Amino acid sequence: KLINKSGAVEFKLQKYGKDVGMGGGEVTKPVHFRLVPNMKDLMGARILTGLQPGDVEQLKDAMEEPDPPKALSIIQNAADSAASVFQSPFDSIPVFAIAQMRVRKRDEMGKATGDAMLPMHLSTKTMSETWNQFVHSSPQFEDAEATLQLIELHKMIDMMQHESDFDFRNVVFVMPSYDKDEQNNEFDDSDDDDSDDDGGG
């Protein structure tokens, strides 16, 4: 969605593997790129946008009671709701932020410099890690109830290109730390010849 260029662009691809002949494995063909979100984050965003008024309090009560069947029912209904924004497995990229959190650049001595920026995340795992660091350096927020904000990436980019009440110059993107997620690494796609379909990334 972010690449608005008409016409097919061809790329030279090199295939590797034991079945590649002496002539080499070079092929030239168009490559289609798609933005693919982490599936756990996509499902979380789908549930959040599918919740109806009053569902949050009911879900909170079900978690505190505890009443697992009731909580599961609320979550399942939210995930299946037609009101949910994040239905596509690709190109629908959730961006997460916590309203109370601000970060600042640090110099070589570790001293905070520059303006306070609102960190935005493509991963809830990274957002949680950033929040923990924020609370550690700002203990007054230790007991604060984090206010989660969620927006779709393409919608956010569209808002950046028009007049807005929000100053996007005070936003910084925090890159996902998927490389630190052992569970994600366990299921990483392989680049071997068994999974090569001569397609794109």
Side-chain angles (χ1 to χ4, degrees):
K1 279 187 177 182
L2 296 181
I3 303 176
N4 299 316
K5 186 173 182 179
S6 60
V9 179
E10 293 194 342
F11 294 82
K12 182 177 290 186
L13 308 176
Q14 176 69 51
K15 184 174 181 178
Y16 296 92
K18 58 181 179 296
D19 297 329
V20 177
M22 295 298 293
E26 283 191 359
V27 292
T28 301
K29 60 187 303 182
V31 177
H32 302 281
F33 295 93
R34 287 175 173 170
L35 294 174
V36 180
N38 177 275
M39 292 308 297
K40 290 186 292 185
D41 294 328
L42 181 64
M43 180 55 68
R46 183 181 301 173
I47 292 170
L48 288 171
T49 55
L51 289 171
Q52 301 298 316
D55 283 351
V56 175
E57 287 300 323
Q58 292 184 33
L59 181 58
K60 185 177 180 180
D61 292 341
M63 298 293 290
E64 291 177 350
E65 287 179 9
D67 188 348
K70 180 180 179 181
L72 181 60
S73 175
I74 295 173
I75 292 172
Q76 187 64 53
N77 289 337
D80 295 337
S81 172
S84 178
V85 176
F86 300 90
Q87 298 289 346
S88 173
F90 55 85
D91 281 339
S92 185
I93 313 297
V95 179
F96 305 90
I98 295 178
Q100 296 93 329
M101 183 161 50
R102 295 293 184 275
V103 296
R104 298 172 64 187
K105 290 183 179 180
R106 295 186 179 274
D107 58 21
E108 296 178 355
M109 303 300 294
K111 183 179 179 181
T113 60
D115 297 330
M117 310 284 283
L118 172 65
M120 290 195 158
H121 307 79
L122 300 174
S123 161
T124 52
K125 179 178 181 293
T126 309
M127 180 180 66
S128 179
E129 293 172 350
T130 308
W131 173 254
N132 291 334
Q133 295 173 8
F134 171 73
V135 171
H136 179 74
S137 60
S138 305
Q140 67 270 26
F141 289 95
E142 186 172 354
D143 297 326
E145 185 172 343
T147 302
L148 181 63
Q149 297 178 325
L150 173 63
I151 189 172
E152 204 279 322
L153 178 62
H154 300 93
K155 181 178 180 180
M156 179 180 175
I157 293 174
D158 183 65
M159 290 174 62
M160 288 179 173
Q161 299 174 14
H162 299 85
E163 290 292 332
S164 172
D165 294 333
F166 187 82
D167 189 353
F168 285 100
R169 292 173 297 180
N170 294 328
V171 164
V172 59
F173 274 91
V174 180
M175 299 308 296
S177 56
Y178 295 138
D179 56 328
K180 299 178 182 177
D181 191 332
E182 295 180 359
Q183 184 175 357
N184 284 340
N185 285 340
E186 183 180 350
F187 298 102
D188 273 349
D189 291 335
S190 172
D191 287 332
D192 59 23
D193 56 313
D194 292 336
S195 62
D196 196 336
D197 59 358
D198 288 337

